[in-house]
Amino acid sequence: MNTGSSNTGTGADHQTPRIFNFSAGPGVLPEEVLQEARDNLLSLGQSGLGIMEISHRSQAFESILDEAELNLRDLLKLSPSQKVLFLSGGATTQFSMVPMNLLPPGHTADYVITGEWAKKALAEAKRVGATHVAASTEGDDRIPGDRFRRVPKNQELRFSDHPAYVHVTSNNTIWGTEWHWEPETAGRPLVCDMSSDFLSRPIDADRYGLIYAGAQKNAGPAGVTLVILKEDVLSSGIDRAKLPIMMNYHTHIEGHSLYNTPPVFPIYVVHLVLRWLKQKGGLSAMAGLNQEKAAHIYRAIDELSGFYRGHAEKDCRSLMNITFRMPSEVLEDRFVKEAQAQGMDGLKGHRLAGGIRASVYNAFPMAGAETLGSFMREFARKNG
Ligand code: PMP
């Protein structure tokens, strides 16, 4: 299936039509961004040097980094006290950096466990210091489909006495749940892994002590991780001289993300995506589109609830990763294969969750969500 554009394929002749990419990440990027990146591979503007070949200390790259930071600040309405960092090592490296920089000896870090990524973040914090689980929605393994169906309500959170910080995962990529309210931590520093819904909607950024997000879902390609932090969350009780230099946030704050060679090309693409987001009307406009896209798919689930079983509880449904099961695994396999044959890729659920997962990030086209909704109706009619 062609997504309505021409001349945008990956083949050397650029004739291969693009298909609908429901991948959970790396995910779909805006076509305009890909085209512009392609045009600058051999020569960035009139420079005669390709974007992957320029020095990270060049004026051209510094302008890219500066504009990216300005646009990010504007989109998220960041305050001057919030630092923006472009790091490498993925969100997984942040699982370690956060406790190494924020959890001093003798203190406790609180984690809200809403999925596999939250569990991984907790496991890394445990290597560094004392932790406490403020809430878990892991559910009962003996009850089919009970695992991580929701995120906790604010009144369910039980904090330790004086946590150094509270860590949450705003969107649970594997299970398809998302916080639709800001976690309430009564003044305790809030740290959030926003990898899979970063920039998909407006947030009250000032409430967060530290936000991190791998770029490869909504913000760009894999290879760069965005970190937004208030310096006052960095604990003074930590002996920074003992931290590996790359694991110390101060290194990157002082070096303006240029302490070592940063991922130049991924940062360049993030910069193009941020421009694209602004052109599209910013995060409120994005949120509206994302709601509409997700509604095409959730509506099909709800209308055919005898056949499709949505995994997430309704008030926790993710607008980014839509997860559902069908009456049998045989049908789920057939669904994935037939959808693939009709130009819809990446619908197989994560191996831990099974079933189907449709990821509809910012750059995913509305037509793709409509097409999947129609396909679901037709598939249920033929197989129900
Ligand atoms: N957190 C979340 C919510 C994720 O979805 C992912 C990756 N899918 C990660 C963390 C890990 O990110 P990375 O692979 O960039 O280390």
Side-chain angles (χ1 to χ4, degrees), residues 54-58 61-62 65 85-89 93 97 223-225 245-265 267:
I54 58 167
S55 164
H56 59 295
R57 309 265 175 217
S58 62
F61 184 67
E62 290 212 5
L65 199 57
L85 304 176
F86 296 83
L87 305 183
S88 50
T93 300
M97 276 180 89
V224 61
T225 307
I245 195 131
M246 285 296 283
M247 301 303 277
N248 185 346
Y249 286 123
H250 278 307
T251 306
H252 304 290
I253 294 171
E254 280 152 25
H256 300 282
S257 305
L258 291 168
Y259 171 75
N260 73 325
T261 314
V264 170
F265 184 67
I267 291 174

Side-chain angles (χ1 to χ4, degrees), residues 24 89-93 95 117 169 171-173 193 195-196 214 216-217 225:
T92 302
T93 300
F95 294 167
W117 297 110
T169 312
N171 183 75
N172 298 283
T173 326
D193 174 0
S195 292
S196 50
Q216 66 268 22
K217 287 124 184 2
T225 307

Side-chain angles (χ1 to χ4, degrees), residues 80-107:
S81 70
Q82 288 170 296
K83 307 284 175 196
V84 174
L85 304 176
F86 296 83
L87 305 183
S88 50
T92 302
T93 300
Q94 296 309 307
F95 294 167
S96 307
M97 276 180 89
V98 165
M100 287 168 99
N101 287 268
L102 275 66
L103 176 55
H107 287 70

Side-chain angles (χ1 to χ4, degrees), residues 211-334:
I211 293 168
Y212 61 91
Q216 66 268 22
K217 287 124 184 2
N218 276 321
V224 61
T225 307
L226 291 112
V227 176
I228 297 163
L229 64 83
K230 293 181 180 164
E231 254 179 302
D232 61 9
V233 298
L234 302 180
S235 172
S236 53
I238 287 170
D239 183 359
R240 282 176 199 281
K242 293 217 173 102
L243 284 183
I245 195 131
M246 285 296 283
M247 301 303 277
N248 185 346
Y249 286 123
H250 278 307
T251 306
H252 304 290
I253 294 171
E254 280 152 25
H256 300 282
S257 305
L258 291 168
Y259 171 75
N260 73 325
T261 314
V264 170
F265 184 67
I267 291 174
Y268 166 70
V269 181
V270 167
H271 140 81
L272 295 181
V273 171
L274 293 168
R275 268 191 189 170
W276 176 84
L277 280 169
K278 287 193 71 174
Q279 278 159 12
K280 294 282 163 195
L283 302 190
S284 301
M286 243 341 108
L289 291 169
N290 287 332
Q291 271 160 11
E292 210 181 312
K293 275 186 276 178
H296 280 297
I297 302 167
Y298 282 124
R299 221 179 289 128
I301 293 176
D302 291 340
E303 282 168 21
L304 301 157
S305 58
F307 189 74
Y308 298 114
R309 196 174 69 251
H311 178 72
E313 286 186 9
K314 281 194 181 168
D315 62 349
C316 304
R317 282 175 163 178
S318 170
L319 299 185
M320 300 281 98
N321 312 100
I322 299 167
T323 51
F324 57 93
R325 302 293 317 238
M326 293 169 42
S328 72
E329 285 182 19
V330 172
L331 280 173
E332 288 167 352
D333 282 347
R334 189 183 302 160

Side-chain angles (χ1 to χ4, degrees), residues 17-249:
R18 281 167 64 78
I19 61 174
F20 292 127
N21 180 2
F22 288 93
S23 166
V28 57
L29 285 167
E31 286 196 18
E32 300 94 308
V33 164
L34 295 174
Q35 281 161 357
E36 187 164 350
R38 179 187 67 196
D39 292 348
N40 286 285
L41 282 182
L42 290 172
S43 173
L44 180 64
Q46 301 301 309
S47 71
L49 301 168
I51 177 61
M52 287 193 274
E53 305 165 303
I54 58 167
S55 164
H56 59 295
R57 309 265 175 217
S58 62
Q59 184 56 47
F61 184 67
E62 290 212 5
S63 308
I64 287 169
L65 199 57
D66 288 349
E67 189 190 326
E69 176 171 340
L70 275 179
N71 283 338
L72 189 68
R73 285 187 175 283
D74 188 38
L75 284 163
L76 286 169
K77 305 198 182 357
L78 300 183
S79 67
S81 70
Q82 288 170 296
K83 307 284 175 196
V84 174
L85 304 176
F86 296 83
L87 305 183
S88 50
T92 302
T93 300
Q94 296 309 307
F95 294 167
S96 307
M97 276 180 89
V98 165
M100 287 168 99
N101 287 268
L102 275 66
L103 176 55
H107 287 70
T108 302
D110 287 8
Y111 279 71
V112 181
I113 304 302
T114 50
E116 310 308 324
W117 297 110
K119 286 174 78 172
K120 288 196 167 161
L122 171 65
E124 292 313 304
K126 281 187 175 166
R127 295 181 202 273
V128 176
T131 58
H132 163 79
V133 172
S136 168
T137 54
E138 190 153 8
D140 185 342
D141 256 351
R142 289 163 304 184
I143 306 172
D146 195 46
R147 203 169 159 76
F148 292 127
R149 294 187 58 216
R150 63 187 193 92
V151 300
K153 300 277 183 302
N154 278 330
Q155 58 270 28
E156 292 176 69
L157 303 175
R158 298 278 173 274
F159 302 115
S160 61
D161 281 347
H162 298 289
Y165 61 88
V166 178
H167 181 283
V168 300
T169 312
S170 53
N171 183 75
N172 298 283
T173 326
I174 293 174
W175 297 97
T177 62
E178 188 173 16
W179 294 73
H180 294 294
W181 50 91
E182 305 273 0
E184 182 51 69
T185 59
R188 294 141 180 126
L190 181 58
V191 173
C192 185
D193 174 0
M194 269 188 206
S195 292
S196 50
D197 63 356
F198 191 55
L199 302 174
S200 68
R201 55 181 178 171
I203 54 163
D204 184 356
D206 198 46
R207 290 176 62 112
Y208 296 83
L210 191 150
I211 293 168
Y212 61 91
Q216 66 268 22
K217 287 124 184 2
N218 276 321
V224 61
T225 307
L226 291 112
V227 176
I228 297 163
L229 64 83
K230 293 181 180 164
E231 254 179 302
D232 61 9
V233 298
L234 302 180
S235 172
S236 53
I238 287 170
D239 183 359
R240 282 176 199 281
K242 293 217 173 102
L243 284 183
I245 195 131
M246 285 296 283
M247 301 303 277
N248 185 346
Y249 286 123

